């Protein structure tokens, strides 16, 4: 745990590299999506608090009316109902124990698109990552760091994401001690130690998929997860969203979350397939610079005290 007065003495060359890489990623991210006619939107940092929501951080103001945003998926759904293709890079906050791959405060790229299937959104993600990697290699700022350039070249040369179903991925795990009924997201960085390449896992069990994901039967949903190799863990989660108003209404009623009725009202206006995903910028930076710990991607890492 770093005390506030010790941050300056904890600045390393690796963290300096992270700042430059992050800055360039943000620049190239905006270029990628603006060139494809996406609208940039700004979801609020404060959102309506939902009792007992996983990893929620509540604000002790206004009778705890608000919590810090842990995901912008619902806001992005509303924005997409108005503007069709939207993206944002924003702050999110989750009350998670500090590990190799978790920060309490982190940056996330979130994208929501109408008239879009899961295959379409996977192509967008792959094209985005290829674009960012190639632009980073051309960056005059990055060229000042030979070790980052070498790693980028290695990543780009081996970047060939493989798509595999959840069931096939689980059956191929070599560690016999792994509980195969656990959500991959809970132990992502442990599983990724066994990977040599980027893996896109599809056909997620509904019980592990987000409640906004479209079901396809047999306990599966049209949801995906992208794992990086070498213990870098989960980079991205996404799904094809459900437009089933009765299902969404039921979920809200069960969770006693009438404060987000506005989301269902916005979905009622959508008459086409739609998809969304969230991609961790800090995790992308960590992978690119080869940091052992995600805290090395920030000058001021925020981690759970006592985690």
């Amino acid at each position: 745990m770093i005390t506030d007065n010790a941050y300056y003495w904890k600045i390393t060359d690796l963290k300096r590299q992270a700042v430059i890489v992050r800055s360039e990623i943000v620049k190239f991210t905006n270029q990628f999506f603006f060139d494809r006619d996406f609208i940039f939107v700004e979801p609020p940092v404060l959102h309506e608090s939902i009792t007992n929501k996983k990893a929620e951080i509540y604000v002790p103001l206004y009778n705890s009316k608000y919590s810090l945003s842990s995901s912008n998926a619902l806001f992005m759904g509303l924005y997409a109902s108005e503007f069709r293709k939207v993206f944002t890079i924003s702050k999110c906050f989750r009350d998670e124990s500090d590990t190799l791959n978790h920060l309490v405060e982190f940056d996330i790229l979130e994208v929501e698109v109408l008239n879009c299937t899961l295959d379409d959104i996977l192509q967008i993600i792959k094209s985005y990552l290829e674009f960012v990697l190639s632009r980073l290699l051309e960056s005059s700022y990055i060229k000042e760091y030979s070790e980052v350039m070498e790693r980028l070249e290695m990543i780009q040369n081996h970047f060939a994401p493989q798509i595999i179903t959840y069931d096939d991925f689980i059956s191929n795990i070599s560690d016999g001690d792994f509980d195969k009924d656990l959500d991959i997201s809970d132990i992502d960085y442990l599983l990724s130690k066994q990977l040599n390449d980027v893996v896109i896992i599809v056909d997620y069990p509904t019980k592990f998929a987000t409640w906004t994901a479209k079901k396809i039967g047999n306990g599966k949903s049209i949801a995906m997860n992208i794992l990086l190799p070498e213990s870098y863990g989960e980079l991205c989660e996404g799904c094809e969203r459900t437009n089933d108003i009765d299902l969404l209404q039921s979920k809200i009623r069960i969770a006693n979350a009438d404060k987000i009725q506005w989301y269902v009202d916005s979905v009622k206006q959508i008459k086409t397939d739609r998809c969304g995903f969230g991609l961790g910028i800090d995790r992308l930076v960590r992978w690119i610079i080869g940091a052992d710990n995600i805290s090395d991607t920030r000058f001021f890492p925020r981690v759970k005290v006592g985690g």
Side-chain angles (χ1 to χ4, degrees), residues 62-302:
Y62 317 119
N63 296 317
S64 297
K65 177 180 179 181
Y66 297 115
S67 60
L68 297 175
S69 180
S70 59
S71 167
N72 294 309
L74 302 188
F75 297 117
M76 297 300 286
L78 187 150
Y79 277 121
S81 73
E82 296 285 336
F83 303 111
R84 196 170 68 84
K85 296 164 60 176
V86 295
F87 81 103
T88 191
I89 297 179
S90 60
K91 298 286 184 187
C92 280
F93 306 82
R94 291 180 190 168
D95 183 20
E96 296 178 308
S97 297
D98 84 12
T99 65
L100 296 179
N101 223 26
H102 287 97
L103 293 169
V104 172
E105 175 189 350
F106 55 94
D107 292 330
I108 186 168
L109 163 67
E110 291 183 89
V111 175
E112 196 85 11
V113 188
L114 300 192
N115 194 25
C116 180
T117 66
L118 188 67
D119 287 341
D120 297 328
I121 208 72
L122 288 177
Q123 186 55 55
I124 290 174
I125 295 169
K126 287 191 285 186
S127 296
Y128 163 73
L129 291 172
E130 289 168 352
F131 179 86
V132 168
L133 292 173
S134 64
R135 291 302 187 274
L136 287 173
L137 279 166
E138 297 170 359
S139 166
S140 58
Y141 295 104
I142 304 299
K143 287 179 179 178
E144 295 182 10
Y145 299 96
S146 59
E147 58 269 48
V148 178
M149 287 293 293
E150 290 175 6
R151 182 163 175 82
L152 274 167
E153 289 172 354
M154 181 274 292
I155 289 173
Q156 186 185 55
N157 290 337
H158 293 88
F159 186 73
Q162 302 298 308
I163 297 178
I164 185 171
T165 67
Y166 183 96
D167 289 343
D168 285 344
F169 179 79
I170 293 296
S171 66
N172 290 335
I173 292 173
S174 60
D175 186 353
D177 294 331
F178 169 59
D179 183 350
K180 297 187 177 182
D181 196 38
L182 276 177
D183 185 354
I184 287 173
S185 296
D186 291 338
I187 52 172
D188 57 306
Y189 66 95
L190 295 175
L191 291 177
S192 68
K193 287 182 178 180
Q194 303 185 40
L195 302 179
N196 296 316
D197 301 296
V198 177
V199 171
I200 301 173
I201 303 168
V202 298
D203 292 349
Y204 244 68
T206 298
K207 61 183 176 182
F208 296 142
T210 173
W211 64 282
T212 63
K214 182 185 293 185
K215 296 180 180 180
I216 54 176
N218 297 321
K220 303 290 185 181
S221 291
I222 310 178
M224 65 85 182
N225 180 306
I226 299 179
L227 290 187
L228 301 173
E230 307 175 86
S231 85
Y232 291 101
E234 179 183 282
L235 175 67
C236 177
E237 279 189 318
C239 69
E240 189 167 326
R241 310 290 190 195
T242 182
N243 292 333
D244 186 334
I245 300 301
D246 290 338
L247 173 63
L248 293 174
Q249 204 76 68
S250 174
K251 292 282 188 179
I252 286 178
R253 184 174 60 254
I254 292 172
N256 193 27
D258 59 308
K259 297 174 183 177
I260 57 173
Q261 178 63 40
W262 52 264
Y263 174 70
V264 179
D265 294 341
S266 68
V267 172
K268 291 178 181 178
Q269 311 308 313
I270 299 173
K271 309 301 180 184
T272 183
D273 293 333
R274 61 192 181 103
C275 283
F277 71 85
L279 184 150
I281 298 296
D282 307 86
R283 294 183 176 189
L284 182 57
V285 172
R286 181 188 169 218
W287 181 45
I288 287 171
I289 67 173
D292 290 334
N293 196 298
I294 199 166
S295 292
D296 288 324
T297 66
R298 290 182 171 274
F299 273 15
F300 303 97
R302 300 309 191 197

Side-chain angles (χ1 to χ4, degrees), residues 11-25:
I11 295 174
T12 63
D13 284 342
L14 190 65
K15 289 191 174 188
R16 294 185 184 97
Q17 293 169 15
V19 170
I20 297 298
V21 169
R22 183 188 299 272
S23 174
E24 292 293 83
I25 286 175

Side-chain angles (χ1 to χ4, degrees), residues 6-69:
Y7 282 111
Y8 180 78
W9 305 107
K10 295 294 183 178
I11 295 174
T12 63
D13 284 342
L14 190 65
K15 289 191 174 188
R16 294 185 184 97
Q17 293 169 15
V19 170
I20 297 298
V21 169
R22 183 188 299 272
S23 174
E24 292 293 83
I25 286 175
V26 171
K27 178 173 68 177
F28 299 136
T29 298
N30 279 280
Q31 287 181 1
F32 179 87
F33 287 103
F34 284 143
D35 287 349
R36 288 158 180 77
D37 299 322
F38 279 74
I39 301 296
F40 178 82
V41 297
E42 295 185 276
V45 171
L46 298 178
H47 67 78
E48 295 87 351
S49 61
I50 301 173
T51 305
N52 298 322
K53 188 172 185 292
K54 182 181 179 182
E56 202 86 331
I57 298 177
Y58 296 95
V59 180
L61 298 171
Y62 317 119
N63 296 317
S64 297
K65 177 180 179 181
Y66 297 115
S67 60
L68 297 175
S69 180

